[in-house]
């Protein structure tokens, strides 16, 4: 395909990317929240948007099924970033990767005593690196959602998860004890597409860079 395909996930990334695309003169013609279509045309006949699961955006761009995409730094770290050019921090979908525990669990003491901790998370690589750097022994338990439940149900001692307002933690009587990394979403570009479709892709990158202040 000679046109440009942009991979976006529904929800906050789609919503927060809209104004950035608008700055590049690109307007999706349907809303993925109400449309069931996974391929959404735009006002530009040579540009389309494909709606993917947030964790799948790097994969679509890596293999060239999409030329451009938007993915959280969390997702990019877990994916590894292979084959991806990451020219811009879009400063959208901002949150923090944190370690959280049930209120009342003496995490510091457990760490001091060299206890082996069970950690539930969707972010196995980030969690592994974090605890290895601290010299804490952990058993990692991979989950795909509702991480907050794990310590409450007795599956894990702590979780590694994204936190923005802290409302979900609070509602489940959990407290954040360690900040691992600040997260925002980045623009990702297929490296081969950038060379082959340079004259179409670069103006889009430049327009977006203009609005994010890069
Ligand atoms: P789903 O919610 O459908 O399971 P997901 O969690 O992968 O999928 P989103 O919730 O849309 O998808 O999150 C997409 C990206 O937005 C994440 O990869 C992360 O970078 C960022 N994000 C996640 N949670 C928050 C949050 N509470 N506040 C701000 N940004 C967030
Ligand atoms: Mg989510």
């Amino acid at each position: 395909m000679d046109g440009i395909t942009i991979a976006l996930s529904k929800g906050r990334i789609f919503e927060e990317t809209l104004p950035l695309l608008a700055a590049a003169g690109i307007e999706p013609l349907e809303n993925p929240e109400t449309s069931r279509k996974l391929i959404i045309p735009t006002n530009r006949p040579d540009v389309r948007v494909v709606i993917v699961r947030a964790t799948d955006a790097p994969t679509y761009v890596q293999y060239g099924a999409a030329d451009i995409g938007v993915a959280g730094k969390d997702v990019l770290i877990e994916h590894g970033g292979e084959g991806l050019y990451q020219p811009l921090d879009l400063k959208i979908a901002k949150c923090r990767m944190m370690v959280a525990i049930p209120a009342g669990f003496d995490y510091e003491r457990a760490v001091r005593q060299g206890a082996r901790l069970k950690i539930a998370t969707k972010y196995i690589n980030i969690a592994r690196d974090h605890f290895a750097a601290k010299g804490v022994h952990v058993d990692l338990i991979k989950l795909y959602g509702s991480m907050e439940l794990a310590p409450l149900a007795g599956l894990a001692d702590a979780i590694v998860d994204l936190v923005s307002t802290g409302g979900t933690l609070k509602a489940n009587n959990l407290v954040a004890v360690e900040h691992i990394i600040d997260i925002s979403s980045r623009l990702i570009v297929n490296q081969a597409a950038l060379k082959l479709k340079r004259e179409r892709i670069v103006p889009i990158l430049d327009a977006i860079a203009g609005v994010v202040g890069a």
Side-chain angles (χ1 to χ4, degrees), residues 98-111 117-120 131 147-152 156-161 163 168-178:
M98 309 281 293
V99 179
I101 55 159
F105 172 53
D106 195 343
Y107 174 76
E108 291 306 331
R109 181 157 174 266
V111 167
L117 296 176
K118 277 188 278 174
I119 308 291
F131 291 106
M147 261 74 77
E148 298 83 6
L149 176 62
L152 307 178
D157 301 305
I159 61 173
V160 167
D161 199 9
V163 179
T168 308
L169 290 183
K170 203 167 174 193
N172 290 292
N173 207 21
L174 301 174
V175 263
V177 285
E178 270 167 11

Side-chain angles (χ1 to χ4, degrees), residues 5-9 48-52 57 60-61 66-70:
T5 299
I6 303 175
L8 297 177
S9 52
R48 63 180 189 170
V49 171
V50 293
I51 302 300
V52 301
Y60 275 83
V61 177
D67 302 293
I68 299 174
V70 175

